Amino acid sequence: MPDATGLELTAAELQEAFPSSILGTEFHRGRAALLADAGKAHDVLERLRVMGYTFLASLLGVDYYPEEPRLGVLYELLDFKRVDRISVKARVPTDEPLIASVVDIWAGANFPEREVYDMFGVVFEGHPDLRRILMPEDYEGFPQRRDFPVGGEPVLFTFNEEKSYGKWQ
């Protein structure tokens, strides 16, 4: 992890290259994170790759309900030469959940972006095949959002098969 000073230097370098791209930094429990403007996140991530963070370890969706902007995308990057890790967080509102795809930077972002789209409704502009990956294509809603109704269709397990459907013969 870059230390707190290294994080601030990295943020300053990115801010110089892309004005107003870094909204803040977080250094908590030894974890360094950059808070990036969603409109400039692609540029920030591309520059971080050039700076040595060549491996996209994970790409996750987050729902910060009730805060706004509510939806977040979290990128975990690794630099193997310096044995370093940094996170980049970008947030988008639910009424216009758009962020640029990073599949052109890391091909491995393909399925994680599809999963975040499927579960949270974040649209990755420029993604080569943005469609649902876990839920059926005709499924309505985004199951990982905090306002998604709990319950839904009953799932049949062995402990409830008699209650739900009568005894199997």
Side-chain angles (χ1 to χ4, degrees), residues 58 62 67 90 104 117 124-125 149:
S58 63
V62 182
E67 297 175 27
D104 60 321
Y117 165 71
F124 291 89
E125 294 181 310

Side-chain angles (χ1 to χ4, degrees), residues 17-34:
F18 309 105
S20 69
S21 62
I22 303 300
L23 306 175
T25 60
E26 293 177 356
F27 192 80
H28 182 64
R29 295 186 180 174
R31 303 225 31 170
L34 297 167

Side-chain angles (χ1 to χ4, degrees), residues 1-104:
M1 304 285 161
D3 59 8
T5 305
L7 176 63
E8 295 304 323
L9 291 171
T10 301
E13 183 178 335
L14 291 166
Q15 193 72 300
E16 186 178 317
F18 309 105
S20 69
S21 62
I22 303 300
L23 306 175
T25 60
E26 293 177 356
F27 192 80
H28 182 64
R29 295 186 180 174
R31 303 225 31 170
L34 297 167
L35 308 175
D37 176 68
K40 298 181 181 179
H42 187 276
D43 294 333
V44 167
L45 291 162
E46 199 167 37
R47 177 59 66 99
L48 285 168
R49 182 174 175 124
V50 170
M51 292 168 66
Y53 294 95
T54 56
F55 184 73
L56 176 67
S58 63
L59 190 159
L60 309 165
V62 182
D63 186 348
Y64 292 101
Y65 178 85
E67 297 175 27
E68 284 294 335
R70 185 172 142 190
L71 301 175
V73 180
L74 173 70
Y75 305 87
E76 287 280 336
L77 308 176
L78 299 177
D79 179 340
F80 290 124
K81 289 183 182 171
R82 293 185 311 202
V83 188
D84 210 358
R85 173 188 304 257
I86 196 166
S87 300
V88 177
K89 299 177 181 181
R91 291 175 67 167
V92 295
T94 53
D95 59 339
E96 197 174 336
L98 303 173
I99 192 164
S101 173
V102 295
V103 172
D104 60 321

